[in-house]
Amino acid sequence: MSEDLKISTSREEGEKAVVVMRLNGSLDANTQSALEAKAKEAVDSGAEYLLLDMSGVDYLGSAGMRGIHAITNLLSPDDTSMRSDRLKVINPSPAAAKIFKTLGFDSFIDIHGNIDEAIAAL
Amino acid sequence: MQLKVRADLGQLHRIREFVTESAEALGAAPTSFDDLRIAVDEAVTNILTHGYGGPGDVELELTADGSDLVVRLRDRAPSFDPRLAPPADLRPPGERDKPGGLGVHLMKSMMDKIVHRSIDSGNELTMTKCGVIGDARPSIGQEDD
């Protein structure tokens, strides 16, 4: 685990098993594994949907995107669709949004402005 | 501005800070800082994970060349030219196990020129961001970090 990235997790009340993970700090090659471990913990505890609040991400690199990709596979291992239905990103910082766009991840991972909007889209 | 470091992935944050401080001191436009940080982070990550396969010595130097900002990285890892890496696999998640080539794709997207050459027992990677030094004055109180 790295002090460079803080991850807080909360479960949303409702019909669906939704877990929100709030990321604060840098998501790079050093912290990618911490994110994946937290996501696996949530999935192992029954989460079917993960919402990643990335408003506090001050740095996002390709390793972080590989981590996010790994989480989509974790949530939907047999899914061959063009979109990730079980992972949503909330309010990414400008630095994070730029990387999503540059690497084309915004074309298959939904990005929402807030939690309510993301939950309504599940 | 030069940094010589026995680098590991835990120092990426410090290396990115050095890039910001150096670019600012050289008078680069603050709008270029993110791109420079990304390019250097990806290059160092490649050196450590694909070159050394762990921690290793990295020299990082930022200089001004007219209005261009030049980043030079030297290492002692086996020869690796990132420009020759396979193109990025940007297919959706369902069509691949894991994406590849993203780091090099980002480096190419953020910088205008990338030149690799083999040096004595290592690599030298020179990345140039054109036209970012000039009218822009060093900023005070940048937006992050």
Side-chain angles (χ1 to χ4, degrees):
Chain A
M1 301 291 283
S2 169
E3 289 302 310
D4 288 344
L5 179 69
K6 291 186 169 48
I7 305 172
S8 60
T9 301
S10 62
R11 191 171 288 269
E12 289 294 309
E13 297 293 329
E15 291 177 8
K16 293 176 174 168
V18 180
V19 164
V20 180
M21 296 173 63
R22 290 179 179 79
L23 314 183
N24 273 287
S26 302
L27 185 45
D28 59 15
N30 188 46
T31 57
Q32 168 196 357
S33 57
L35 173 64
E36 289 185 45
K38 278 280 185 189
K40 186 172 187 314
E41 219 172 83
V43 171
D44 288 347
S45 301
E48 292 178 298
Y49 299 88
L50 281 182
L51 310 183
L52 287 187
D53 183 339
M54 300 187 72
S55 57
V57 173
D58 58 25
Y59 180 83
L60 174 62
S62 65
M65 296 308 287
R66 280 193 294 278
I68 289 171
H69 181 275
I71 295 171
T72 64
N73 287 345
L74 188 67
L75 286 163
S76 311
D78 301 320
D79 188 4
T80 57
S81 67
M82 296 294 283
R83 298 202 62 79
S84 166
D85 292 329
R86 294 179 180 270
L87 177 73
K88 310 287 183 189
V89 168
I90 301 165
N91 196 21
S93 63
K98 178 176 182 170
I99 301 303
F100 267 85
K101 188 172 175 55
T102 304
L103 294 180
F105 274 59
D106 57 342
S107 67
F108 54 86
I109 294 178
D110 288 337
I111 297 174
H112 297 280
N114 56 60
I115 291 176
D116 292 343
E117 190 184 306
I119 288 177
L122 294 178
Chain B
M1 306 283 286
Q2 197 174 39
L3 178 71
K4 290 184 183 181
V5 64
R6 178 76 178 172
D8 58 39
L9 294 177
Q11 288 173 329
L12 288 172
H13 191 267
R14 176 191 166 202
I15 289 169
R16 291 194 299 269
E17 283 181 346
F18 173 79
V19 170
T20 305
E21 291 162 8
S22 301
E24 189 172 18
L26 292 168
T31 49
S32 68
F33 294 173
D34 271 347
D35 291 359
L36 294 165
R37 275 195 292 261
I38 291 164
V40 171
D41 178 287
E42 297 295 345
V44 173
T45 298
N46 271 343
I47 290 168
L48 297 178
T49 56
H50 300 305
Y52 289 118
D57 294 330
V58 175
E59 289 179 34
L60 170 61
E61 185 180 31
L62 279 80
T63 55
D65 180 9
S67 63
D68 300 342
L69 194 145
V70 180
V71 179
R72 192 164 286 117
L73 281 153
R74 295 190 190 90
D75 65 64
R76 295 183 173 278
S79 183
F80 172 71
D81 184 348
R83 296 170 308 157
L84 303 180
D89 183 353
L90 299 175
R91 288 175 296 161
E95 296 183 18
R96 58 186 177 183
D97 288 335
K98 58 181 179 180
L102 301 184
V104 172
H105 182 76
L106 282 180
M107 288 162 61
K108 289 176 178 172
S109 300
M110 302 301 155
M111 304 299 283
D112 296 303
K113 277 188 280 188
I114 299 179
V115 176
H116 169 270
R117 70 185 182 103
S118 294
I119 55 173
D120 291 345
S121 66
N123 302 274
E124 181 182 82
L125 188 70
T126 305
M127 304 188 288
T128 305
K129 187 84 172 163
C130 296
V132 294
I133 298 174
D135 295 337
R137 294 169 61 84
S139 68
I140 298 171
Q142 63 199 65
E143 74 282 9
D144 57 16
D145 285 342

